Amino acid sequence: RGQDPGHDKRKGIHMPRTYPWHSVKQLVHHNNTNCNSGNNIEVENMRPGTGGKPLCQECANLNRCGR
């Protein structure tokens, strides 16, 4: 079983992060389930993984704030 990417054992917190996904129509990937941009990807355009794309700035900000 893989580790939950949103769980930080050192801090004992659980952030709403998940395994990365991206859209074939965007230049970034997402890894936070609270990201508006990541949640608005149409299912036919969604792909698993990073797609070799950088992390979305909204996801990065949410991750940094622990949200």
Side-chain angles (χ1 to χ4, degrees), residues 14-48:
H14 182 82
M15 299 185 308
R17 290 174 44 179
T18 186
Y19 296 96
W21 73 97
H22 69 281
S23 168
V24 296
K25 294 187 173 188
Q26 293 181 348
L27 299 175
V28 295
H29 79 274
H30 306 275
N31 71 355
N32 191 303
T33 55
N34 287 329
C35 177
N36 289 322
S37 178
N39 287 333
N40 288 323
I41 298 173
E42 295 173 341
V43 71
E44 63 268 18
N45 296 320
M46 191 178 295
R47 301 291 185 275

Side-chain angles (χ1 to χ4, degrees), residues 1-15:
R1 225 174 178 188
Q3 279 189 299
D4 178 354
H7 183 73
D8 186 335
K9 289 181 183 177
R10 294 167 295 159
K11 296 179 183 175
I13 59 172
H14 182 82
M15 299 185 308

